Amino acid sequence: MNRLASDPSLEHCPDFASNIYQAIENLQAVWVVTSNTHKVQWQRQLQEDQAAATKQQSLVHGQLQVSCLEGAARQEEDRRQNPLKYIPIPDRSRPPCTIHDVLISDFALTRVIEGQYVALYYWTNGGLQADARFNHRTADNEGMGRSASPGSSTTAGAAHHARVIPDHSLTAIDFAQAVPRALASFKQCGWEAWRIQMLAAFWQALMCHDYWNSTNPLAERALFVYQDEQRRAWHQAIPLPDGAWDISILDQKEIRMTFDKIYREDQCRRDDEWDLQRLQSLQPRDEPDDHSSTRRARRSRRSSGRARQRGRGRRRSASLSVHSNSASFRN
């Protein structure tokens, strides 16, 4: 059926009584029938148009709902992957800074937020200048990645560039600079208060240890090696089934073993250097004959043997002296 172009109820019946029209009654009857038919068709047409419009609105509304749900899901996923974008920022002026408010590198900040081990170098003066203020190294961000297992120590490990000084090689000044700054960063990143207090007590116990003020530099180095090894092991043990331990309780036996190991390595290095210097001093400037060369080699071996015996005696006496000082301090 063809669609009507206008509402037939608005049309008026012509004056069929005029001279122009002849068959008045027949034409008027035909017009009335046709008009009534068009009126019914018009109402039906309006109803169909309304139904089609309602259906179209329902489809559009459904599509909008699906689009809103998909957008909300994408936003929620982005919020989960990039939480820093959605952290609210208060409408206030910049708060006053303290000496512990420092700008560490993105690599170190990411590790701290995850609760992972971070070398204290990143909070030293040298680390702050190298990584945060002047040279934001892209290698840090490119090397970051999550570890495959909870106890793995490889998280973002590839980002440790060559300039990072390990904890066991820090100086006492670097250590004193880094500790308060690191504790402040832990607090700002939302670490639990008990964990921060445990690490603070651990570092304080190291600085109160008798090795810390020892005149023997190897004793201080033993504390730094112990600190590095224990803190790494502590972080790795936290997600494991057996868990970690109170790191602030120092293992005196382990510290003494660490000192003995460092002392032996140092003495071996000194012996090797002394032997090398001795051999170099015995080498003749001119080409010697076979007999003189043999005699010099024999004297060199005898001298090296006596030197090693004297070195062993010095190592035993020095080790006993350090251990006796430790015992007297504890008593």
Side-chain angles (χ1 to χ4, degrees):
M1 183 180 296
N2 297 331
R3 292 179 57 84
L4 298 178
S6 62
D7 187 355
S9 62
L10 300 178
E11 298 178 357
H12 298 281
C13 179
D15 185 7
F16 292 106
S18 62
N19 295 329
I20 300 176
Y21 303 99
Q22 298 299 323
I24 298 176
E25 294 181 357
N26 292 336
L27 291 176
Q28 188 173 11
V30 171
W31 185 92
V32 170
V33 172
T34 304
S35 177
N36 290 336
T37 303
H38 287 171
K39 288 178 182 179
V40 173
Q41 181 183 350
W42 180 260
Q43 293 298 323
R44 186 182 301 111
Q45 182 177 307
L46 291 178
Q47 293 175 357
E48 291 175 353
D49 292 346
Q50 182 66 29
T54 302
K55 183 178 181 180
Q56 183 65 24
Q57 289 180 354
S58 300
L59 292 176
V60 172
H61 182 68
Q63 292 176 353
L64 289 176
Q65 284 186 332
V66 172
S67 178
C68 291
L69 291 176
E70 291 177 350
R74 287 193 299 268
Q75 185 177 14
E76 183 64 26
E77 180 66 17
D78 186 67
R79 184 187 297 272
R80 186 184 65 82
Q81 295 181 355
N82 305 292
L84 294 179
K85 292 169 54 178
Y86 301 92
I87 295 178
I89 300 178
D91 184 11
R92 62 178 182 179
S93 60
R94 185 178 185 273
C97 296
T98 65
I99 59 174
H100 300 320
D101 292 334
V102 294
L103 181 63
I104 61 176
S105 70
D106 293 341
F107 165 74
L109 180 61
T110 302
R111 296 272 291 180
V112 172
I113 292 175
E114 294 177 351
Q116 300 288 336
Y117 170 88
V118 184
L120 291 176
Y121 163 81
Y122 288 101
W123 288 278
T124 63
N125 289 347
L128 293 174
Q129 293 176 356
D131 291 327
R133 297 180 182 176
F134 298 113
N135 187 17
H136 290 275
R137 296 179 61 91
T138 57
D140 286 352
N141 295 330
E142 293 172 355
M144 284 190 293
R146 297 183 179 274
S147 59
S149 60
S152 175
S153 61
T154 60
T155 303
H160 279 257
H161 47 81
R163 284 189 303 181
V164 174
I165 301 174
D167 283 8
H168 62 264
S169 297
L170 293 176
T171 64
I173 295 178
D174 290 337
F175 186 81
Q177 292 171 352
V179 164
R181 293 169 178 171
L183 293 174
S185 296
F186 298 161
K187 183 178 180 180
Q188 292 173 356
C189 292
W191 282 31
E192 296 288 344
W194 63 266
R195 183 177 295 190
I196 300 175
Q197 294 172 359
M198 185 179 295
L199 283 173
F202 170 60
W203 286 325
Q204 182 180 11
L206 290 175
M207 289 187 285
C208 292
H209 196 276
D210 53 332
Y211 279 9
W212 185 265
N213 294 319
S214 174
T215 57
N216 188 349
L218 299 181
E220 181 182 275
R221 182 60 51 202
L223 290 181
F224 286 132
V225 173
Y226 172 82
Q227 187 274 151
D228 192 359
E229 294 177 349
Q230 292 299 309
R231 195 160 66 91
R232 286 178 183 273
W234 183 73
H235 274 283
Q236 294 175 4
I238 290 176
L240 297 181
D242 293 338
W245 58 91
D246 188 352
I247 195 174
S248 64
I249 303 175
L250 301 184
D251 189 343
Q252 300 295 340
K253 181 179 179 181
E254 184 67 24
I255 293 176
R256 289 193 297 270
M257 292 173 61
T258 302
F259 171 80
D260 291 340
K261 178 182 177 182
I262 294 176
Y263 184 82
R264 288 192 301 269
E265 292 175 351
D266 181 74
Q267 290 302 317
C268 289
R269 179 184 59 81
R270 290 174 180 269
D271 289 345
D272 292 340
E273 291 177 355
W274 189 91
D275 290 344
L276 179 61
Q277 294 175 0
R278 182 66 176 173
L279 290 174
Q280 290 176 350
S281 64
L282 293 176
Q283 288 180 355
R285 297 183 180 179
D286 298 328
E287 186 68 21
D289 55 24
D290 294 339
H291 296 288
S292 60
S293 177
T294 303
R295 287 195 298 271
R296 288 192 180 92
R298 290 175 180 173
R299 287 198 298 269
S300 176
R301 286 195 295 270
R302 288 196 296 270
S303 300
S304 299
R306 289 194 295 270
R308 289 193 181 92
Q309 291 178 357
R310 289 195 297 269
R312 295 191 187 96
R314 290 196 301 270
R315 289 197 295 270
R316 287 195 295 270
S317 60
S319 179
L320 291 175
S321 175
V322 173
H323 290 300
S324 62
N325 291 337
S326 301
S328 63
F329 181 82
R330 290 191 296 273
N331 294 333

